[in-house]
C-alpha cells in the first residue's frame, strides 16, 4: 500500500497491468466510469500501463494532423471520446488513466488538468528535470520539447482518459502525425536526458507524485479479466 497523510485521504485503487491492448483498456475505463456514475461511493482508480503501438483521435480531431491515409492505413487507429487531437501510444510510454470522482476534489476541469500536469512536473523534478507548462497549451515540456500529453473525458464529474508520459519509447511513430496538433513544438522523451530510464522505474515515482497532488491513499490492486 502507498499512502499519504495529506488532504482527504480518499482510497484510490492502483492498477499496473503492464502492456495492454488499447481497446481492452478503453472498455475497462468505460466500465469503471459506468459503475461509478451508478454508485458514486465506489473507490477512485488510477491505472498505470503501457500500450502496443496505437494512434488515438479525440472527438474533434482534425485529419490534417495525420500524415497517413486513414482509409488505407495498416496502423491501429481509434477515435475516442476524449478531448484533443491525434496522439500516439507505444511501449516505453507510461500512460495514466485516473478514474476520479471530482466531487471529492474540485468540480473544475481546468483545475483537474493543471493537477495532472503537476503530477508529471513533480515526477520530472525527482530526476532533476524541470517540467514546464506553456501558456495556452495542455501538457508538460522540457526545454521546449513536449514529453507528456494530457486528454480527458468527464461524465457526471467522473473522469476517464488522462496522461501519457514519454519515458523511453521508439519515437518514430510520432513522425506519422503532428502530435496534439501542435505544429511548431517537437516531442521528445525522458530518455533524451536520462538514457537508461525505464517505465518500471518511473511508475513508482508517478504514483508517489499522484499521492502528493491529489492527497489520496493508493491501494495496489490486481487486474482480473
Amino acid at each position: 500500500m502507498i499512502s499519504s497523510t495529506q488532504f482527504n485521504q480518499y482510497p484510490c485503487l492502483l492498477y499496473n497491468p503492464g502492456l495492454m491492448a488499447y481497446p481492452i483498456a478503453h472498455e475497462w475505463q468505460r466500465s469503471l466510469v459506468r459503475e461509478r456514475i451508478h454508485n458514486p461511493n465506489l473507490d477512485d482508480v488510477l491505472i498505470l500501463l503501457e500500450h502496443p503501438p496505437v494512434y488515438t483521435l479525440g472527438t474533434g480531431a482534425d485529419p490534417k494532423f495525420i500524415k497517413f491515409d486513414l482509409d488505407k492505413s495498416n496502423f491501429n487507429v481509434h477515435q475516442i471520446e476524449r478531448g484533443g487531437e491525434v496522439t500516439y501510444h507505444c511501449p516505453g510510454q507510461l500512460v495514466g488513466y485516473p478514474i476520479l470522482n471530482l466531487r471529492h476534489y474540485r468540480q473544475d476541469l481546468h483545475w483537474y488538468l493543471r493537477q495532472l500536469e503537476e503530477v508529471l512536473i513533480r515526477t520530472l523534478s525527482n530526476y532533476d528535470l524541470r517540467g514546464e507548462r506553456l501558456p495556452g497549451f495542455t501538457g508538460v515540456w522540457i526545454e521546449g520539447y513536449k514529453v507528456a500529453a494530457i486528454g480527458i473525458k468527464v461524465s457526471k464529474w467522473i473522469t476517464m482518459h488522462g496522461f501519457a508520459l514519454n519515458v523511453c519509447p521508439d519515437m518514430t511513430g510520432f513522425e506519422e502525425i503532428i502530435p496534439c496538433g501542435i505544429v511548431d513544438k517537437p516531442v521528445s522523451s525522458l530518455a533524451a536526458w536520462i538514457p537508461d530510464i525505464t517505465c518500471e522505474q518511473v511508475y513508482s515515482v508517478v504514483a508517489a507524485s499522484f499521492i502528493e497532488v491529489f492527497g489520496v491513499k493508493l491501494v495496489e490492486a490486481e487486474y482480473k479479466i
Side-chain angles (χ1 to χ4, degrees):
M1 178 185 296
I2 308 170
S3 63
S4 167
T5 58
Q6 298 180 358
F7 306 118
N8 49 41
Q9 286 283 278
Y10 285 110
C12 182
L13 302 178
L14 174 63
Y15 291 94
N16 179 26
L19 189 68
M20 177 177 282
Y22 190 85
I24 296 174
H26 186 211
E27 182 51 41
W28 183 17
Q29 286 188 78
R30 294 176 70 179
S31 67
L32 291 170
V33 170
R34 287 193 298 267
E35 291 168 358
R36 281 150 182 79
I37 289 175
H38 179 71
N39 181 3
N41 294 319
L42 292 174
D43 289 341
D44 289 337
V45 172
L46 173 62
I47 303 169
L48 295 175
L49 47 63
E50 298 172 67
H51 289 305
V54 61
Y55 293 95
T56 67
L57 302 145
T59 52
D62 193 325
K64 72 180 182 182
F65 298 127
I66 302 167
K67 299 179 182 179
F68 55 87
D69 188 337
L70 283 171
D71 295 328
K72 300 177 182 178
S73 172
N74 292 322
F75 296 116
N76 193 359
V77 182
H78 295 278
Q79 180 115 33
I80 53 174
E81 63 274 82
R82 65 161 171 79
E85 295 288 345
V86 60
T87 194
Y88 178 63
H89 301 304
C90 66
Q93 181 190 74
L94 187 61
V95 179
Y97 295 132
I99 314 296
L100 306 183
N101 185 342
L102 291 183
R103 293 184 182 89
H104 296 160
Y105 305 90
R106 186 181 299 180
Q107 293 174 221
D108 182 330
L109 300 189
H110 293 288
W111 172 87
Y112 178 58
L113 290 170
R114 302 294 82 79
Q115 298 307 100
L116 292 181
E117 290 170 346
E118 184 64 23
V119 168
L120 299 168
I121 288 170
R122 294 191 187 201
T123 296
L124 298 182
S125 70
N126 186 78
Y127 297 98
D128 295 323
L129 295 173
R130 183 182 176 187
E132 298 178 320
R133 298 178 175 92
L134 294 187
F137 296 97
T138 298
V140 177
W141 281 258
I142 300 175
E143 299 176 5
Y145 291 86
K146 190 171 188 179
V147 295
I150 294 173
I152 64 169
K153 165 72 174 177
V154 179
S155 303
K156 297 186 183 300
W157 296 112
I158 308 297
T159 69
M160 67 179 292
H161 299 295
F163 59 84
L165 176 62
N166 295 335
V167 179
C168 54
D170 178 353
M171 298 296 292
T172 57
F174 287 98
E175 297 172 1
E176 299 291 337
I177 61 172
I178 298 174
C180 303
I182 304 175
V183 177
D184 58 347
K185 293 179 173 57
V187 294
S188 190
S189 69
L190 304 195
W193 289 268
I194 308 172
D196 297 326
I197 198 165
T198 67
C199 283
E200 185 177 1
Q201 294 167 350
V202 176
Y203 164 81
S204 60
V205 181
V206 169
S209 298
F210 194 86
I211 290 171
E212 292 176 359
V213 172
F214 286 98
V216 296
K217 179 174 63 177
L218 287 181
V219 180
E220 294 178 1
E222 183 178 351
Y223 172 73
K224 297 179 180 179
I225 299 175

